[in-house]
Amino acid sequence: MKRLALGLGLLLGYGQPTDSVEAVRFLRREVRRLCRFEGRAPLTPGGRKAEAYLLKRLRQMGYSPQTQRVPLSVYRLTHAEAQALTARGWTRWKLGEDFLPSAGCPPLQGEWPVDTLPREGYAWWVPEPHPLTKVRQLAREHGVALVLYPTPRLTGSIAPEPDSVAVVYRRGELQRPQQVRLRIQGRLEWGTAANVWVKRPGQRADSAWVVGAHYDHLGRVGSLTFWGANDNASGTALLLLLAQRLVQKPPPPYDVYLVAFTAEELGLIGSQAWVASPPYPLARVRGMINLDLVGFGEKGVAVVGGSDQPAFWERLDRLRVQQGWNVPLLVRPNAPNSDHYPFREKGVPAVFFYLQGGPGYYHDGQDRPATLTWTGAYPLLRWIEEVLYLP
Ligand SMILES: [Zn+2]
């Protein structure tokens, strides 16, 4: 209905769609496309398709995109199923709803009696959350093959290699069964994934800005796909939109490097590789802006690395105020939670912007394109453009 009304409006000459409507349309389309690539995990077919797609899109815009190959390993969980025996008989646990293997869960197949104490030959039903490192240590000491670990939310991650102990997260409210049956398969793979980047030449090359967003996500665990719409197809789409707009605008005062990072979810591996051998001297980078989780914004904008770089942050924030974007701001100190961090470690001023709001889907099967509201992406984009055009 909305689409029809807009079309009718255009036909009747009610005016062109505004810049922000066009921008959000672009973002929605790009996120839908990026979410077709099976969770975009490095070294998977989906990860390679995502890389190829970014190269194609950037070429279409007139850039000559570059890749930086990054060697890495990924442990992929290719199959996961679980059944539990209760008084009502055997029931199947649903992957992603009742259980989720930890990212490094080693391959495992069999049937175990369940106990709340760590005992050899039993699956250890940990009654309530304890520090996982301690749980793993106890499991090893007691010869436990399988740990069933409670969590209120099943949150996925991705590991570079298998662990020595099998930890399977279970939904906290599940009743303890007498027996569990599990089949988990995984495969360790080695290869290279790629950072994809372009340069928009500025009027001067004596310093540069870097804007980055990671395009990788968690891929799949068995039949469960982690789509990663907000994390971080949203930031990748915003990076593409910025790329397109920068070629249509006059050259910015300084060079701008736009980087789609790989393997953020594996531990900031792509951005670490970038700062280890950057195509431009880091000492001459004016600042780095990282975009990750930008599909919402009803609850405002958060900036990681704002409070501990007051001078840099105030220069940026002044432009937001000038632009009139009055929005709740959460200004946080630096933290190793996304791709700005390796830049900070090298002494480059860097901030990580994310937008707050939404239903809270995170590293699960529900982080899908249709859930995104795109409330804050356009004003955030305009703000970043102001930064890049600051003389
Ligand atoms: Zn992310």
Side-chain angles (χ1 to χ4, degrees), residues 106-357:
L108 172 90
Q109 179 163 3
E111 197 174 307
W112 291 266
V114 176
D115 198 346
T116 51
L117 293 171
R119 292 165 62 186
E120 192 172 348
Y122 284 75
W124 179 16
W125 184 271
V126 181
E128 56 194 50
H130 292 290
L132 252 177
T133 43
K134 182 78 187 154
V135 165
R136 283 201 174 94
Q137 185 197 327
L138 281 169
R140 267 190 294 270
E141 281 169 17
H142 290 86
V144 171
L146 170 64
V147 176
L148 297 168
Y149 189 84
T151 172
R153 279 187 58 86
L154 295 167
T155 305
S157 59
I158 184 167
E161 55 194 25
D163 293 335
S164 56
V165 176
V167 175
V168 169
Y169 299 109
R170 58 172 171 89
R171 200 161 40 78
E173 313 93 79
L174 279 179
Q175 289 299 308
R176 175 162 62 96
Q178 299 147 21
Q179 200 96 354
V180 289
R181 207 181 268 161
L182 266 111
R183 189 157 77 92
I184 290 164
Q185 291 169 342
R187 198 164 55 222
L188 181 60
E189 286 173 3
W190 294 85
T192 65
N195 292 327
V196 176
W197 60 275
V198 295
K199 181 172 99 171
R200 171 68 171 106
Q203 293 162 34
R204 298 165 55 178
D206 56 354
S207 63
W209 283 95
V210 178
V211 183
H214 76 87
Y215 71 92
D216 66 299
H217 193 55
L218 308 177
R220 303 174 66 166
V221 170
S223 57
L224 176 66
T225 303
F226 294 85
W227 307 97
N230 193 31
D231 187 7
N232 187 28
S234 67
T236 310
L238 198 58
L239 192 76
L240 286 174
L241 179 55
L242 183 61
Q244 185 176 74
R245 291 166 65 99
L246 283 177
V247 288
Q248 290 162 355
K249 289 175 188 288
Y254 306 97
D255 289 349
V256 177
Y257 288 82
L258 302 170
V259 194
F261 293 111
T262 187
E264 188 268 355
E265 305 283 10
L266 273 165
L268 317 182
I269 290 175
S271 48
Q272 271 163 10
W274 175 269
V275 300
S277 67
Y280 187 85
L282 291 182
R284 289 198 265 139
V285 173
R286 303 177 77 82
M288 189 274 181
I289 294 171
N290 177 47
L291 304 169
D292 191 357
L293 309 166
V294 295
F296 295 96
E298 308 83 74
K299 293 190 176 160
V301 55
V303 52
V304 177
S307 60
D308 56 343
Q309 301 170 104
F312 179 61
W313 167 239
E314 274 160 31
R315 262 201 316 282
L316 304 188
D317 195 41
R318 203 175 301 138
L319 298 171
R320 177 191 62 83
V321 174
Q322 277 173 20
Q323 187 190 312
W325 191 26
N326 297 313
V327 68
L329 265 184
L330 176 65
V331 183
R332 299 176 50 186
N334 190 29
N337 51 5
S338 192
D339 291 318
H340 61 290
Y341 188 78
F343 287 81
R344 285 295 301 276
E345 290 286 281
K346 293 277 185 181
V348 177
V351 288
F352 159 25
F353 284 120
Y354 64 93
L355 294 171
Q356 304 202 87

